[in-house]
Amino acid sequence: MKQLKAASLITAIKTPYNAIGEVDLNTYDTLVQKQIDAGVDGIVVGGTTGEGHLLSWEEHLILIAHSVHKFGDKLLIIGNTGSNNTSEAIKATKNGFAAGMDATLQINPYYGRTSIAGVIEHLNRTLDIGPAFIYNVPGRTGQDLTPDIIEILAKHKNFIGVKECGGNDRIAYYEKQGIACWSGNDDESYVGRHEHGSHGVISVTSNIIPGLMRQLMDKADLEETAKLNDSLQGLMQWLFCEPNPIAINTALMMTDAVPKNFRLPYQALTLEQRAIGFELIKAVAKKDLVGDSLSLLADSDFNYCI
């Protein structure tokens, strides 16, 4: 639990695909190694950015097991095994821990929303299985996990903390109570860390600039990192110009870090959107980028799979 709480930079790692839409483990391994080289503390496997919702449970659990086997001695492996179905969440979480993951990321039931009492019971059942981060992202679930809910869950022995998308005021409130928080908003994460006391960030942006995100989370030379944070705001905001993970997928394809294969229903950013991103990415030093080159790409360069 101490090691999990000490993790200040966790990457919600992308899942790459080959030309027929299967998970591309060779490219995945390269992406994860880039995270390790940059000093990232852990990865979330099969999260929103990793398109866990587009993976079968078999693919999802194989990817968790593969990550543990290949990288479990080098960084923390956090499996996104949550679901809006309590039975599925319990089964997937048990299987994830059986495969060796260090912790789970759990979300409140989305779409088929339940009562506050139902949310608490759902999350307590998954907390019973092993260490868990609770993810509050009301923009996706349609239901805010307010402090009255989190304060109850935080009493559980397996509660690690919250990935909080509700802003830095909410994070500061929790941290003052001793409830660990990780920002779910990259563009707010630097201020959240250094001004509001967050434990760190669970990041999308670190897929493409892990070393720079490492610098933002570290506490050395805050004047320089404040300038760095300001310089990266445009890129961070562009990465959310469409629902995540559309932009990060497109960006990693533009830098040739991953094959140009999307699983539907995701499609690449438009040419106009890519042109904006191209200039933002071009402003980053090549040594700080994941990927070997940068190109705008044509619409015909992208392949769409099921």
Side-chain angles (χ1 to χ4, degrees), residues 77 117 138 192 199 208 219 232 261 291:
I77 307 298
H199 277 54
I208 192 164
K219 295 191 175 182
L232 293 174
N261 303 313

Side-chain angles (χ1 to χ4, degrees), residues 208-209 212 227-236 238 254-255 274-290 293-295:
I208 192 164
I209 49 168
L212 297 182
K227 293 177 183 176
L228 175 62
N229 180 60
D230 289 344
S231 74
L232 293 174
Q233 286 296 303
L235 175 60
M236 291 179 185
W238 175 77
M254 289 169 63
T255 64
R274 297 198 301 275
I276 295 169
F278 181 89
E279 295 302 322
L280 292 165
I281 297 169
K282 188 169 71 171
V284 177
K286 184 177 179 181
K287 67 180 178 60
D288 293 320
L289 289 171
V290 172
S293 61
L294 176 63
S295 56

Side-chain angles (χ1 to χ4, degrees), residues 196-213:
H196 298 283
S198 82
H199 277 54
V201 63
I202 298 178
S203 176
V204 174
T205 306
S206 54
N207 275 281
I208 192 164
I209 49 168
L212 297 182
M213 290 302 296

